[in-house]
Amino acid sequence: MPEPRPFAAVLAEMSRGATLEKLTTELHKVGLAVENTGGRGELNLKITIKANGDGSVTLSDKITTKTPDPYRGDSVFFVTKDKGLQRTDPRQPELPNLREVMGEDK
């Protein structure tokens, strides 16, 4: 049995090089998004092979990516007696006579 042709060589010729170019670009985009967000990303390549008759096949590809969303932070809310949500703890009483004290800029 003859040695198979290297996958990278076939990939480089798919769609006249457009597949490899797109993979390179998308890998860069996903890598940047992962670096910027600290999240996880994906780059997927699906190759479909169909018989073309007469000893030939056609290869088609689908490239998909998943980039992480930037972290927007969590928000803490408290559940009130009537099951609503509010930012202040309904069990904690407010302190009376509080006022803001302005200091001098130094």
Side-chain angles (χ1 to χ4, degrees):
M1 179 183 226
E3 285 291 316
R5 188 156 179 236
F7 177 75
V10 174
L11 184 62
E13 292 181 358
M14 288 181 65
S15 300
R16 296 181 187 93
T19 299
L20 188 56
E21 187 176 315
K22 175 91 171 158
L23 282 168
T24 300
T25 301
E26 294 302 315
L27 179 61
H28 182 71
K29 287 179 186 177
V30 172
L32 286 176
V34 167
E35 182 181 23
N36 291 333
T37 64
R40 292 174 39 172
E42 291 182 13
L43 171 65
N44 299 295
L45 169 63
K46 179 180 176 181
I47 298 174
T48 303
I49 306 168
K50 293 192 308 187
N52 199 33
D54 223 12
S56 67
V57 294
T58 59
L59 277 64
S60 59
D61 64 82
K62 180 174 176 94
I63 299 169
T64 57
T65 60
K66 217 184 269 188
T67 55
D69 290 329
Y71 179 69
R72 294 186 310 277
D74 295 330
S75 299
V76 176
F77 284 84
F78 295 90
V79 181
T80 62
K81 289 180 185 177
D82 62 350
K83 306 303 180 209
L85 298 176
Q86 69 183 40
R87 299 283 291 163
T88 56
D89 187 345
R91 299 166 298 177
Q92 182 175 347
E94 290 189 30
L95 297 173
N97 302 321
L98 285 183
R99 62 184 175 84
E100 186 174 344
V101 178
M102 303 298 274
E104 293 181 24
D105 290 336
K106 293 183 181 184

